[in-house]
Amino acid sequence: MLHDVIIIGGGIVGCAIARELSRFELRVALLEKEAEVGFGTSKTNSGIIHAGHHAPPSTLKGRLEWRGNQMWDQLARDLKFGFSRVGELLVALEPGDLAHLQELKEQGEAKGVTGLELWDPPRIRREEPNLSRDILKALHAPTAAVVNPYEAVFGFMECAQQNGVSLHCGCPVNALRRVDGRFTVHTPCGVFQARYVVNAAGLFAQQVAAMLGADDFRTRPRKGEEYMLDRRLQGLVTHLVFPTPRPGTKGILIIPTVDGTIMVGPTADDHDDPLDVSTTWEGARRVFDTVRRYCPAISERDAITEFAGSRAVAEGDDFVIRASPVAGFINVGGIQSPGLTASPAIAEHVRELLAEQGLALQERERWKADLEGPARFAQRTPEERRALVAADPAHARIVCRCELVNEAEVVDAIRHGARTVDGVKFRVRAGMGRCQGGFCQARVIEILARELGIPLHEVTKRGPGSELFYPRHDQPGSEP
Amino acid sequence: MNPVDARTLAEVYDVVVVGGGPAGLAAALGAREAGAERILVVDREAEAGGILNQCIHAGFGLHHFKEELTGPEYAERFVNQALAAGVDLLTDAYVIDITPDLRVQLINGALGHAEVVARSVVLAMGCRERTRGAIRTPGFRPAGVMTAGLAQKMVNLKGLLPGRRVAILGSGDIGLIMARRLTLEGCQVVGVFELMPYSNGLTRNVVQCLDDFGIPLRLSTTVAFIHGRDRVQRLTLAPVDARLQPDLKQAWDVACDTLLLSIGLIPENELSHRLRLRMDATTGGPRVSSTLETSLPGVFACGNVLHVHDLVDFVTEESLRAGGYAAEVARGKRRPIDNIPLQAGDNLGSCVPHSLSPDREQVIYLRVKQPVKDAVLTVGNRYERRFRLLVPSEMVRLTLGPEVLERYFGDTLRIDVRPREVA
């Protein structure tokens, strides 16, 4: 089948583009190399919708950041993911930082960012009593928000799929050619043909572009480590807390997540291996030493889990979103912070670029913008729970005790695309609570095996190679 | 025991027991012996027996039955006794909440969302394992890192192996038992690594599970880095200093595909927190009186939800008593209020119950913080007992009679453990 557009990469950017293109009468496919969408950079994102004033308006980042910021309230309502405008505080600890706060305030106001205010120490203490007494001033931006980035990715993709976009996971691009004005994309799941290709391959975008000689940009991975703190610290800070930014990074932050827990990070270390997602002793030390300067109550002992991920940073530090030297091939590279914030605006921009390249956009008559959303058992009243159990007894079979997730929710997650234990975890929170999967993992594995029709030992954490259990030595499937 | 369904579940019970493991089953029997008529045991699994069902090794019952049983055998005896005693059992059921006036709200596939009224409640939810997050291990987050208990369940109940070449961090009893089990299953166990300078498991398990199979136990050692993006490929191990920090200069690598964690157990007290019971920060369980009653009258606790035990026999003994006292309260009988607060003193990690009464013999369970050779345990200034060796991994059971306790009426009684002074 000849596709109008093939999107390579199912991160937040690729999935936002898929949803945007699903509004039109187009045949669109999205190819993702991992077992599920959102399993690369997006999964390890800090989950911040930036307030809009950080990037200068002369940059692409600066333009798309503020436009993107304003789109998230509607997206959260439509796609049913958690979203909260918690606001941010950018704190100045040294006299030299004060001028910079003022500049950022003016930059934001020039862009139209609303509500920016400089707070003095008494105001800071009233709003955030646990922050350091050494803070000289803080720039408050009420437009900053938090989301769970993976929920946003799943929401974008599911909405795109319900409007006709086809999704192919476990489908890395091995070769890419352009012959007679058509692209052929070679993958282990077959050969795809398309009139247009959008390269949203994240850390691997440069590599994909090089297959066509369309790599007129350079990116490199920048690793970030994040540390999640125990739930009993909930309420320690209620705003996002940023240090005064330094070149190349927004610094190490305190993040009150949409689930109510506190997260600290990320580090920002340029390196060469996009697959290095390890946390380190040194990174932890740096994160905790830094955040203790603005919030002395935070300690390494409070960490309950940690993770790391990399984002692609382009030369010149701006997003690379443009038609490539190859007609019909659009590069979307170097999507570092504020990439999550900007993603819905990036999708609009890519749609405009495709239109400029000659793609005809005719609006679909029946485009459905919203999703039904899952029946979150834990958040229901006893009456609602009674009705759910009456409708399906699987609602009474509790799988995850910590987060009160039942079998019906796990089955629903699998029907909506979860293929792995991590996929279930990121959709329904089974395994995210205090026991970290100690009790529920066995049940989740059994349900995945049953629903996917595979033996238990083929269930993976996040795709081939991450099988969780092996068959016994005397059983089929055991190595000789 | 009567399996109950929507038709036979009563509206009111004398005693509702939350959890059908060894603690819950013994509590139900204790309640029956003390005269309770309607007793309900609620369990989330399809079968009662709790963690015993996956403990297929022998070594249970040496104290209680004076013979050596496997976990499922030990559980079966209690299930059969409860069956004979006419206790109601509701499996595949989950207690969502308990109101302060003891309405127990539960869900079950056949019943939906149900509520029963309890005259008294026994909390017997057991405990869970500490996970990787609790110890902050840097590195990748691949498949192949799991708690020893999850591995035990998958091996013994599902017929799957956690891996082929296994390292174990922590020398808790489940880790030691799994070192032997996986060796018997044909896996290679490269070693057990313990942060502390002493083992956290029972001595008999170190001998029978490691020494007998030539599995090395390295003390004062930890995992400093986990390598492997999709599946564990190797570990960096390092000795730790006196502050338990790894010395990375002396680190070395071990190739393996699996890391089992046996790094401690945490009482599963979510319901207790919802009930706002007063808790003991050391045990992680509720504070209880000498009748094992929590700070909310009519709510009792026993077994691993109260404090983590080493031996199921002690769980049984404690739970029989808790069930008995719960039945008394359900029948309107009251013991005298405790008048001797108990305090854990020098080198004592925990001490349960938290208060005593001089009207009857009392059983106290305690655990030391640090190993002590030639130890002297003193209770107030009247009672003294000597031990050749006390270690944190082996709980001490102490009984005190009215003749000792009467002297402390109204005073705080303090228990200390000190090395014997050399003359």
Side-chain angles (χ1 to χ4, degrees):
Chain A
M1 179 166 98
L2 176 64
H3 289 89
D4 294 305
V5 185
I6 280 182
I7 302 162
I8 300 172
I12 187 77
V13 172
C15 293
I17 294 168
R19 180 174 184 262
E20 178 63 24
L21 296 182
S22 76
R23 307 158 81 95
F24 306 98
E25 294 289 352
L26 297 170
R27 276 160 302 180
V28 180
L30 187 146
L31 311 182
E32 167 55 48
K33 75 175 167 54
E34 298 292 331
E36 296 187 35
V37 294
F39 271 25
T41 300
S42 300
K43 193 169 78 165
T44 52
N45 183 283
S46 301
I48 298 168
I49 303 306
H50 288 286
H53 57 308
H54 287 269
S58 56
T59 61
L60 191 52
K61 271 183 178 179
R63 295 210 305 278
L64 298 175
E65 175 188 30
W66 177 231
R67 166 73 188 143
N69 175 293
Q70 293 162 283
M71 298 169 78
W72 281 89
D73 300 82
Q74 185 63 41
L75 284 168
R77 274 195 297 275
D78 282 346
L79 305 180
K80 310 286 189 297
F81 53 78
F83 172 77
S84 177
R85 291 231 179 234
V86 293
E88 73 166 56
L89 285 177
L90 207 144
V91 300
L93 280 159
E94 285 158 37
D97 295 337
L98 292 171
H100 199 77
L101 284 198
Q102 188 61 40
E103 281 165 29
L104 278 173
K105 181 167 183 282
E106 285 162 15
Q107 174 169 300
E109 283 164 350
K111 285 167 74 180
V113 177
T114 48
L116 293 169
E117 250 182 4
L118 282 168
W119 286 1
D120 54 11
R123 179 77 194 269
I124 297 167
R125 276 205 282 284
R126 204 157 61 232
E127 303 291 343
E128 291 289 1
N130 295 308
L131 289 187
S132 164
R133 296 289 170 120
D134 298 336
I135 295 172
L136 304 173
K137 255 193 173 35
L139 176 58
H140 176 238
T143 46
V146 286
V147 295
N148 281 329
Y150 40 86
E151 288 180 10
V153 176
F154 297 146
F156 277 130
M157 194 62 227
E158 212 185 321
C159 180
Q161 283 176 282
Q162 86 181 1
N163 291 299
V165 174
S166 63
L167 169 66
H168 305 267
C169 287
C171 198
V173 173
N174 292 332
L176 193 53
R177 315 219 189 297
R178 188 166 187 273
V179 183
D180 300 334
R182 283 184 186 179
F183 294 94
T184 51
V185 187
H186 298 261
T187 79
C189 346
V191 179
F192 295 81
Q193 291 198 312
R195 295 165 55 223
Y196 296 85
V197 171
V198 177
N199 172 16
L203 291 159
F204 304 92
Q206 191 189 325
Q207 215 172 305
V208 168
M211 293 177 186
L212 275 177
D215 51 333
D216 61 342
F217 62 99
R218 292 283 167 274
T219 67
R220 65 177 310 189
R222 183 173 289 166
K223 191 167 89 170
E225 301 181 24
E226 307 258 17
Y227 294 82
M228 188 71 82
L229 308 184
D230 194 283
R231 196 173 270 279
R232 70 190 150 74
L233 292 187
Q234 183 160 2
L236 194 71
V237 299
T238 54
H239 295 80
L240 289 154
V241 180
F242 289 66
T244 304
R246 301 275 177 259
T249 173
K250 294 196 170 78
I252 293 171
L253 326 176
I254 308 172
I255 303 162
T257 69
V258 77
D259 299 310
T261 49
I262 304 263
M263 190 162 83
V264 291
T267 53
D269 298 308
D270 288 346
H271 64 128
D272 298 319
D273 179 6
L275 299 178
D276 179 359
V277 289
S278 64
T279 53
T280 61
W281 292 101
E282 199 275 324
R285 190 182 52 72
R286 201 145 29 97
V287 165
F288 286 95
D289 284 355
T290 309
V291 296
R292 257 196 297 274
R293 292 188 63 215
Y294 13 105
C295 186
I298 290 176
S299 142
E300 207 166 325
R301 283 192 306 274
D302 300 318
I304 60 155
T305 186
E306 57 196 70
F307 59 88
S310 285
R311 58 272 199 192
V313 176
E315 258 171 25
D317 242 23
D318 204 357
F319 296 158
V320 177
I321 306 173
R322 60 188 181 220
S324 75
V326 177
F329 187 83
I330 312 285
N331 279 316
V332 186
I335 310 298
Q336 54 156 324
S337 177
L340 172 69
T341 310
S343 58
I346 292 174
E348 289 179 337
H349 187 52
V350 168
R351 185 245 301 151
E352 288 161 7
L353 290 173
L354 285 166
E356 281 168 22
Q357 296 260 311
L359 180 67
L361 297 172
Q362 189 200 335
E363 286 201 20
R364 218 177 259 281
E365 266 179 39
R366 266 179 291 178
W367 184 68
K368 190 168 177 318
D370 62 338
L371 296 173
E372 296 310 320
R376 283 278 155 83
F377 194 75
Q379 293 159 17
R380 298 307 177 104
T381 63
E383 289 69 36
E384 289 171 331
R385 287 176 181 172
R386 214 167 279 143
L388 284 170
V389 173
D392 180 359
H395 278 290
R397 288 196 285 277
I398 300 298
V399 172
C400 166
R401 311 177 196 186
C402 306
E403 301 286 321
L404 202 64
V405 179
N406 63 42
E407 187 175 319
E409 292 174 272
V410 175
V411 170
D412 189 60
I414 297 166
R415 298 208 172 127
H416 286 87
R419 292 291 173 270
T420 63
V421 169
D422 274 1
V424 168
K425 169 172 149 180
F426 285 109
R427 279 178 178 81
V428 299
R429 301 189 59 74
M432 270 197 190
R434 59 186 79 78
C435 93
Q436 291 281 307
F439 282 112
C440 66
Q441 203 180 80
R443 291 282 276 267
V444 170
I445 289 170
E446 283 181 315
I447 298 168
L448 273 164
R450 186 187 72 204
E451 295 294 313
L452 302 177
I454 57 175
L456 292 168
H457 65 261
E458 286 181 14
V459 176
T460 67
K461 183 172 191 292
R462 60 161 164 261
S466 67
E467 285 74 16
L468 287 149
F469 290 92
Y470 296 2
R472 284 164 64 127
H473 294 87
D474 55 354
Q475 294 297 311
S478 174
E479 293 157 54
Chain B
M1 188 167 308
N2 304 316
V4 290
D5 56 28
R7 283 168 292 117
T8 51
L9 186 75
E11 283 173 23
V12 181
Y13 281 91
D14 293 327
V15 180
V16 172
V17 181
V18 185
L25 292 169
L29 285 172
R32 170 65 86 232
E33 281 165 24
E37 285 176 10
R38 305 228 62 159
I39 303 164
L40 175 68
V41 175
V42 184
D43 196 81
R44 68 186 290 275
E45 298 293 334
E47 254 183 275
I51 210 72
L52 287 175
N53 289 336
Q54 70 183 57
C55 299
I56 62 171
H57 54 283
F60 299 91
L62 290 168
H63 293 255
H64 189 77
F65 290 112
K66 309 286 182 237
E67 59 181 306
E68 195 174 20
L69 305 173
T70 65
E73 284 170 340
Y74 191 94
E76 187 185 21
R77 293 203 180 187
F78 279 90
V79 171
N80 287 342
Q81 285 181 45
L83 182 69
V87 170
D88 279 358
L89 172 69
L90 184 65
T91 53
D92 270 326
Y94 190 85
V95 173
I96 294 221
D97 209 354
I98 302 174
T99 64
D101 61 344
L102 306 192
R103 290 168 188 277
V104 180
Q105 296 173 348
L106 42 87
I107 54 168
N108 161 277
L111 296 170
H113 201 281
E115 185 179 279
V116 296
V117 175
R119 296 210 170 92
S120 65
V121 167
V122 181
L123 303 177
M125 292 89 77
C127 59
R128 63 167 180 269
E129 297 176 282
R130 289 174 81 213
T131 60
R132 176 178 178 183
I135 53 167
R136 263 234 57 235
T137 307
F140 289 78
R141 306 183 59 73
V145 181
M146 72 192 84
T147 62
L150 176 61
Q152 184 180 48
K153 181 175 189 173
M154 298 310 274
V155 172
N156 292 350
L157 299 183
K158 310 287 174 197
L160 292 171
L161 297 178
R164 302 276 186 243
R165 206 177 140 82
V166 181
I168 300 174
L169 177 63
S171 57
D173 288 307
I174 313 173
L176 301 178
I177 296 285
M178 284 311 291
R180 176 175 63 186
R181 169 61 51 205
L182 291 174
T183 305
L184 295 172
E185 293 289 347
C187 302
Q188 192 183 353
V189 177
V190 299
V192 176
F193 306 97
E194 169 59 55
L195 181 73
M196 304 304 289
Y198 47 85
S199 161
N200 269 312
L202 296 171
T203 309
R204 74 173 200 217
N205 282 336
V206 175
V207 173
Q208 294 171 8
C209 300
L210 302 187
D211 298 354
D212 289 358
F213 291 85
I215 299 167
L217 169 63
R218 287 194 74 131
L219 302 173
S220 297
T221 303
T222 195
V223 175
F225 202 88
I226 298 172
H227 303 265
R229 184 173 180 265
D230 292 322
R231 178 83 202 186
V232 176
Q233 288 174 340
R234 67 197 155 87
L235 302 173
T236 298
L237 295 157
V240 296
D241 60 23
R243 289 167 46 249
L244 305 178
Q245 295 302 303
D247 178 359
L248 299 176
K249 289 191 198 75
Q250 293 188 57
W252 75 99
D253 280 9
V254 169
C256 59
D257 57 28
T258 305
L259 173 63
L260 296 192
L261 302 174
S262 181
I263 51 177
L265 300 167
I266 307 166
E268 181 98 315
N269 271 296
E270 278 55 57
L271 274 176
S272 316
H273 289 294
R274 292 187 70 94
L275 279 166
R276 300 188 180 276
L277 303 183
R278 278 191 70 200
M279 305 297 286
D280 177 337
T282 316
T283 59
R287 294 180 65 87
V288 291
S289 70
S290 65
T291 61
L292 301 163
E293 193 170 17
T294 67
S295 58
L296 182 64
V299 176
F300 296 76
C302 58
N304 285 344
V305 79
L306 177 57
H307 57 139
V308 174
H309 294 63
D310 328 313
L311 297 176
V312 71
D313 303 73
F314 287 175
V315 169
T316 297
E317 172 201 65
E318 177 180 88
S319 306
L320 283 166
R321 281 190 287 122
Y325 290 127
E328 289 180 4
V329 166
R331 300 177 66 216
K333 300 178 197 305
R334 274 284 171 190
R335 298 278 178 161
I337 290 173
D338 287 351
N339 47 37
I340 307 174
L342 201 55
Q343 188 193 345
D346 286 358
N347 195 19
L348 267 199
S350 66
C351 193
V352 174
H354 299 83
S355 60
L356 302 174
S357 170
D359 69 303
R360 60 195 188 280
E361 187 181 79
Q362 305 275 314
V363 182
I364 304 158
Y365 299 107
L366 30 95
R367 213 179 265 284
V368 292
K369 280 185 195 160
Q370 296 289 329
V372 200
K373 273 186 184 165
D374 289 325
V376 181
L377 182 150
T378 55
V379 181
N381 54 5
R382 297 277 176 175
Y383 177 94
E384 193 178 285
R385 195 170 140 193
R386 293 180 177 199
F387 294 86
R388 274 183 38 226
L389 176 66
L390 287 179
V391 289
S393 59
E394 308 206 5
M395 198 163 75
V396 179
R397 179 183 185 276
L398 192 67
T399 55
L400 293 176
E403 68 287 357
V404 176
L405 294 169
E406 263 161 15
R407 301 166 196 271
Y408 294 97
F409 186 94
D411 292 340
T412 294
L413 185 55
R414 187 179 143 130
I415 303 183
D416 298 286
V417 173
R418 300 191 181 95
R420 185 152 55 109
E421 282 167 32
V422 184

